Amino acid sequence: MPRKKRAVPKRSGPIVWAIDPFEARNAHRAPLAKAVKAVSRGLSARVLPFSVVSPAGLEWLVPTTAPLAPELADFGRRAVSRDLKKLHLRDIEKPTIKIAEHASRRDLVKNVLDFASREHASLVAVNTRRLLSPLPFKVGGFVESLLGSSDIPVLAVSPKAKVSPIIRRVLFATDFSRRSKRAFQQALGITHALGAEMVLFHLDVPIEAPFSYTDVTIGISEAFIEDAERAAQAHNRRAARRWLAEASKAGVRCTLAKGARGYQ
C-alpha cells in the first residue's frame, strides 16, 4: 500500500532552544539535547539557542559603575557556545543573547515567545525544572507559564529523562475538547514528520454533584448524574473514533491507550 501524503505541521521553521547560559552542569542539558536532536532531524529544522540575561539585581556582584549588561551578554554567549559544542549537535546556530531590563518570569516568557514568533519557530525546547540556578530559564514556574502562554508547541524535557535517539511513539493525553483538538492536529503533523506512531489517552472523570456553603442547597439526583456521565462518555467515544480516523487520513498510525477502557 503506498504511503499517504506527508502531513505538514501548522508551523514550519527552526526549534528555539531556551537555554540558561549560567547553568554550571552541562549534563543537565543532555536529555533535552538528545530530544532536540531527534526532533530536529525528523522536522529537518535548524536549532536556535536563545538566552535572556539581565543585570537586574546583580550590580552588587561587580564593584564598579561600568555597565554590566555587555559583560553578561558576552559571557553568556561564550558559555552557551562552549557547552553546546560539547553536546555534538548538528544544524545548530550561534546563540542569540537578549538583554532584558527585568528578569521576572513574565518577562522571560515574553522574550522567548517574541523571539520564537519572529523566527516562525516550529517548537520551543526547554528543561522542565529548576536546577539551583538563580538566573533565567530555571525560575520556578517558568515552564508552566510558558506552556500556558505559548501558541507554539513546547518540547519540555526533564534533566532526569531517559531519551531515545529515535522517537518512535508519541503519547497524547486529551479531554477531547476543542482546544485539545487544535493541539492534536499540530501533534499529528509533528508525529508524522518523525515517522512515529501516536497513542491517545483519555480518562473519564466522574461528575461530582455541586454543593453550596450557604444555607440553601440544591439537590441533584444520582440518576441525573449517571445520565450526564453516560452522555459524556458516549460523546468522548464518538470523538475518539473521529480522531483515530483523522490520524489515519494524515498517515499516522494511532491507537488508544490500553487504560482508556470503553473506547476500543
Side-chain angles (χ1 to χ4, degrees), residues 1-8 184 187-198 243-254:
M1 182 176 178
R3 184 178 176 88
K4 294 186 178 182
K5 186 176 180 181
R6 183 186 181 94
V8 179
F184 170 71
L188 276 181
I190 294 173
T191 302
H192 189 278
L194 294 174
E197 64 179 67
M198 179 179 287
W243 288 29
L244 290 174
E246 183 173 342
S248 178
K249 186 177 180 180
V252 175
R253 183 176 184 273
C254 186

Side-chain angles (χ1 to χ4, degrees), residues 152-206:
I152 301 171
V154 176
L155 175 65
V157 178
S158 168
K160 295 183 178 180
K162 296 181 179 179
V163 180
S164 171
I166 300 176
I167 298 175
R168 295 184 173 88
R169 185 174 297 176
V170 174
L171 177 66
F172 188 87
T174 179
D175 60 358
F176 294 113
S177 64
R178 292 182 179 179
R179 294 185 66 180
S180 184
K181 179 64 177 294
R182 292 195 292 270
F184 170 71
Q185 291 170 336
Q186 286 185 316
L188 276 181
I190 294 173
T191 302
H192 189 278
L194 294 174
E197 64 179 67
M198 179 179 287
V199 178
L200 285 180
F201 178 81
H202 172 78
L203 181 65
D204 284 321
V205 179

Side-chain angles (χ1 to χ4, degrees), residues 15 31-45 47 89 123 155 163-168 190 193-195:
I15 297 173
L32 180 56
K34 290 181 180 178
V36 168
K37 184 177 181 179
V39 175
S40 64
R41 185 191 301 117
L43 299 180
S44 298
V47 180
L89 291 173
L123 284 172
L155 175 65
V163 180
S164 171
I166 300 176
I167 298 175
R168 295 184 173 88
I190 294 173
L194 294 174

Side-chain angles (χ1 to χ4, degrees), residues 182-237:
R182 292 195 292 270
F184 170 71
Q185 291 170 336
Q186 286 185 316
L188 276 181
I190 294 173
T191 302
H192 189 278
L194 294 174
E197 64 179 67
M198 179 179 287
V199 178
L200 285 180
F201 178 81
H202 172 78
L203 181 65
D204 284 321
V205 179
I207 298 175
E208 297 182 359
F211 59 90
S212 174
Y213 289 107
T214 66
D215 294 333
V216 179
T217 302
I218 301 176
I220 297 179
S221 68
E222 292 184 3
F224 180 88
I225 294 176
E226 290 175 357
D227 288 344
E229 287 180 342
R230 282 194 292 269
Q233 291 169 5
H235 169 270
N236 290 336
R237 283 194 292 270

Side-chain angles (χ1 to χ4, degrees), residues 110-173:
K110 184 178 185 304
N111 277 292
V112 170
L113 294 181
D114 285 350
F115 178 77
S117 180
R118 287 196 302 271
E119 297 294 333
H120 304 287
S122 57
L123 284 172
V124 175
V126 66
N127 279 330
T128 61
R129 55 182 296 199
R130 181 174 180 175
L131 295 172
L132 305 179
S133 171
L135 295 165
F137 304 124
K138 297 297 182 292
V139 178
F142 168 76
V143 175
E144 183 178 353
S145 298
L146 181 67
L147 289 168
S149 304
S150 180
D151 61 350
I152 301 171
V154 176
L155 175 65
V157 178
S158 168
K160 295 183 178 180
K162 296 181 179 179
V163 180
S164 171
I166 300 176
I167 298 175
R168 295 184 173 88
R169 185 174 297 176
V170 174
L171 177 66
F172 188 87

Side-chain angles (χ1 to χ4, degrees), residues 95-117:
T96 298
I97 307 296
K98 167 73 175 181
I99 303 296
E101 183 178 354
H102 304 288
S104 68
R105 182 190 310 170
R106 181 178 179 180
D107 291 324
L108 294 177
V109 170
K110 184 178 185 304
N111 277 292
V112 170
L113 294 181
D114 285 350
F115 178 77
S117 180

Side-chain angles (χ1 to χ4, degrees), residues 12-71:
S12 60
I15 297 173
V16 170
W17 185 349
I19 187 169
D20 179 1
F22 302 101
E23 172 56 57
R25 290 168 287 186
N26 206 38
H28 289 151
R29 297 192 181 110
L32 180 56
K34 290 181 180 178
V36 168
K37 184 177 181 179
V39 175
S40 64
R41 185 191 301 117
L43 299 180
S44 298
R46 298 171 297 125
V47 180
L48 304 181
F50 179 74
S51 299
V52 178
V53 295
S54 173
L58 298 179
E59 293 83 358
W60 63 273
L61 291 173
V62 181
T64 177
T65 57
L68 185 58
E71 286 78 3

